[in-house]
Structure formats: C-alpha cells, structure tokens
Amino acid sequence: MEQRYLGRSGLRVSRTALGTMTWGRDTDADEAATQLMAFADAGGTLIDTADVYSEGEAERLLGTLLGEVVPRDELVLATKAVARRTEGPFGGGASRGALLTALDGSLRRIGVDHIDLWQLHAWDAGVPIEESLSALDHAISSGKVRYAGISNYSGWQLATAALTPTTFPLISTQVEYSLLERGIEREVAPAALHHGLGLLPWAPLGRGVLTGKYRNGTPPDSRGASAHFAGYVEQHRNERAARIVQAVSTAAEGLGTSALCVALAWVRDRPGVIAPVVGARDTNQLIASLEAEQLTLPPAIRAALDDVSAIELGYPERPMP
C-alpha cells in the first residue's frame, strides 16, 4: 500500500486507515484480529480509534492484538480524547486536566507507552484553545505522544488552532468527507491545505450508502438495520444521494470494479487527503475496501462524479465576479 506523509510532518502512514469504531461492540475479538492481520498484510499501518468507542472497549481490544497479531512498531496508533467518558471534572472536555487524564486512560487500555497520533475529538467552546493545545504540547514533550491532530473542527476553529503558538504544530484533521458529504470543501479543506494539516476523512463511503447496498431497501445485516446506527445511515438516504449512488454504480460497471472502490478512490485522491478511515463490519468488507488500492479513476469519470455531487458555494467561498 502506498505511504503518504501526514501534513507537514515526517510521519508516514498508509493511504487507507483502519477504523475501529465498532470494535468491542459489533466486532468481536476474533473478527478484529482477522481484520488487523488482513490490513497489515496489505501494507496498512494507520489504525484509528478513540477513548469513547464502545465505551473504551475498542482501545482495550486493540491492545490485546498488539504484538500477538501485529508488532506494535509496524503500526501508527491514532486515538482521540475530548468526548465525555464519565461524570466528574476530568471525565471529558478539552481542559488540560481532562485531556491528560484521558491520555493516561488510553495508554492504559491499549497497553502502550506512547500514542503516535493523539487527536482532539471535537472543539470545546468552554475551554480556551491555548489550554487545550498546551496539553498536547505537554503530552508530546513527555514522550507519551509523538504527533497531534484535531477532529470535527470547522474552518475557523481549525485556523484558530493552527495559528495558536505551540511548540509542536498540529499535523492532521479528521472530518467526514465523501461524495455525499463535501461540506468541508467550503472552508475546512482550504484551511487545512493552507496550514499544512493532512485530511483524514471518516465515513468516506457515505456511511455505507455509496456501496449501493441500500438502493433496494435496508439489508437486515447492515448498519442501517441496527438500532444504534440506523439514524447515522439515514442521514445520507435521500434523492440527491440516490443520484450520486447511481453515478458511482455506473462508473463501477464501466471500470469493471465495485461501487465501493470507486467511492473510496474518489475521496482518497482529493486535494489534501492523506488517508480515508475505513470501518468494516467484517473482514470481507475490509478486503473489498483494500482493493481500491489498485484503482485510479480516469479523469473523465472523476469529473463526472465531481459534477453529480457538487455542492453550492456561496459568498465568501465563491469568488466575486
């Protein structure tokens, strides 16, 4: 698998990342081990998790697989903090105390002495950004973290964080981005490019809708049929999405590949994107995603997908005449 530098840093990661949001809940230990092995065998290195995924079970499960399934030093471990884990003054949020408490918890659950990429999971309006970033600086200085990033920040929030004086600059931002969700192109993506942060798209397959599995209903074994993911998937099931899914399916048929590969290749090669984060229900889904490594979309097909999924830019994103 091709490796790319993450932002303006020397950290190289695989251009597809393995997401673990369902590990410890919908994905059991045996399935997680099989996924991790398949991912590593394909040359994948970037593993993304968070302290709140499955209430911490995703990190614990990942920790049990390190060394036993894949050597620790062959992976780039990324996790996140900020979301509320427990009640109390240090159970969530982006204060210095809460963040450093969260970091210690992640290290303990995963069973490692450092995190390669530690990310602020969301903007915390109640905490000065200087305080939050000072916690990232401290974590890197202490050796518990190697690099820092952000997640789900708007354009102005990203720029504010990037321009706040720190010892160690941010190198990445993780945001939803797909043919069905291109909102970051208004401000977030340009800000990230300007400030040297690499884009790590989550839900690059439009929460599964772009695979075409929902064209004729909701498969009983899909996330759209589960109690905790139905609303998550439903957001991208509308008339606009149906037109885009049709275009992706048509492109896939013409190229002799899957709709999944077409959708993933499109977002993977967008300006500023480093590695889409793919979360698979099972190993077969993951292997299907990894097949996109062999696909580069022809310019004409890429242009057609750009057109059918285009979003409207208003003032001031749209240049004045």
Side-chain angles (χ1 to χ4, degrees), residues 84-92:
R84 177 62 57 178
R85 306 176 312 281
T86 63
E87 296 302 320
F90 304 118

Side-chain angles (χ1 to χ4, degrees), residues 35 57 63 126 142 149-150 167 180 277 289:
Q35 286 188 21
E57 287 303 313
S142 70
I150 54 178
T167 303
L180 299 185
V277 181
S289 295

Side-chain angles (χ1 to χ4, degrees), residues 190-216:
L193 283 169
H194 181 76
H195 292 290
L197 278 68
L199 294 170
L200 299 174
W202 59 264
L205 300 177
R207 309 187 183 194
V209 175
L210 286 166
T211 65
K213 69 173 68 176
Y214 298 105
R215 294 178 72 182
N216 299 311

Side-chain angles (χ1 to χ4, degrees), residues 14-29:
S14 54
R15 67 174 182 172
T16 299
L18 176 60
T20 65
M21 185 172 66
T22 62
W23 285 22
R25 181 173 57 187
D26 300 328
T27 304
D28 64 21

Side-chain angles (χ1 to χ4, degrees), residues 16 38 79 81 148-149 220 235 242 304 309:
T16 299
T79 192
Q235 181 174 328
S309 64

